Amino acid sequence: MEQIITQVVIALQERFPDGEAPPKGIPVGISNRHIHLSTTDAAILFGEGHALTKMKDLKQEGEYAAEETVTLIGPKGVLRGVRVLGPLRGKTQVEISCTDGFTLGINAPVRDSGQTQGAPGISIAGPCGALMLREGVICAARHIHMSPAEAEALRLHDQDRINIESFGPRGVIFKNVLIRVHPKFRLEMHLDVDEANAAGLKNNDPVYLYRPE
């Protein structure tokens, strides 16, 4: 474990003299449109007592992509096959990209996860029913998950805001990146599809703590 932490620290704090990227970094996880459901809303959409069926585990411990999908119905358009992520939560939250918002006709604000107050609502349809979500559609703000050990090694704290740099032909500097620390978290930067495409990034590509020359 100590060796891993040391490698991460070196990767994020050092740069090669010629300006090239160091060999290790924070892996990127690209978040496509998805929905987190409350128990009550899941029952409406999939039937009372229905249990989500795990399709695959996600990198963050305990989180998974479910087999179940829903349809989002906005004022101007529809998005079908929107993946449900488990486990169920206390409150339903829909996460889309800005491009998805244009398709649906919804101006979703950029928010940290869980900050859905005042965010637009949307109609959601499942195989057993439909509902109108009064609020809860957001574009998730870019953020980094990490464990307490990783945060300590990087001298970062939960709720810190930092800048992150990517390299390559479309390299960019991502500002206002939220740090989220929890014992179940694993090091990963979450970007939505729009952000990843703009920077030319793919899943598991490395990004780095930005340190001005």
Side-chain angles (χ1 to χ4, degrees):
M1 182 63 181
E2 292 300 321
Q3 282 185 324
I4 295 174
I5 293 174
T6 300
Q7 288 177 337
V8 172
V9 173
I10 292 173
L12 295 177
Q13 294 186 344
E14 291 187 355
R15 284 174 127 188
F16 293 133
D18 59 3
E20 294 180 0
K24 302 287 184 180
I26 301 171
V28 166
I30 302 171
S31 295
N32 199 356
R33 64 183 77 104
H34 61 271
I35 184 170
H36 301 278
L37 287 173
S38 68
T39 301
T40 300
D41 289 347
I44 294 171
L45 297 170
F46 298 104
E48 193 67 39
H50 179 86
L52 295 179
T53 304
K54 184 186 293 186
M55 182 176 71
K56 65 176 182 179
D57 288 314
L58 301 179
K59 186 169 184 178
Q60 303 308 315
E61 184 179 342
E63 298 186 5
Y64 60 90
E67 295 282 357
E68 289 80 2
T69 62
V70 300
T71 297
L72 302 180
I73 306 166
K76 292 186 178 180
V78 173
L79 290 175
R80 295 179 172 84
V82 177
R83 185 70 55 191
V84 177
L85 299 190
L88 297 176
R89 294 186 174 184
K91 188 176 182 180
T92 294
Q93 175 176 291
V94 178
E95 297 181 32
I96 62 173
S97 68
C98 290
T99 300
D100 291 334
F102 298 146
T103 299
L104 293 167
I106 291 176
N107 185 19
V110 177
R111 296 274 186 86
D112 296 332
S113 182
Q115 296 183 358
T116 58
Q117 185 174 2
I122 196 167
S123 295
I124 306 170
C128 294
L131 60 89
M132 176 60 195
L133 185 68
R134 292 184 177 276
E135 61 180 18
V137 183
I138 65 171
C139 296
R142 56 184 72 129
H143 58 278
I144 298 175
H145 294 272
M146 61 181 63
S147 69
E150 290 162 336
E152 183 179 0
L154 298 173
R155 299 179 182 178
L156 295 172
H157 305 88
D158 189 52
Q159 302 302 307
D160 280 351
R161 300 274 178 174
I162 64 170
N163 296 337
I164 290 291
E165 184 173 13
S166 69
F167 290 84
R170 307 188 79 179
V172 301
I173 296 170
F174 294 100
K175 295 185 176 182
N176 303 316
V177 181
L178 175 68
I179 299 299
R180 299 181 60 192
V181 181
H182 191 277
K184 289 187 176 182
F185 286 167
R186 300 294 176 264
L187 191 64
E188 186 176 43
M189 180 173 180
H190 284 185
L191 299 172
D192 69 22
V193 173
D194 286 352
E195 292 179 305
N197 286 342
L201 292 168
K202 305 182 298 298
N203 276 319
N204 295 314
D205 279 351
V207 292
Y208 306 89
L209 190 66
Y210 175 64
R211 295 185 180 279
E213 298 291 352

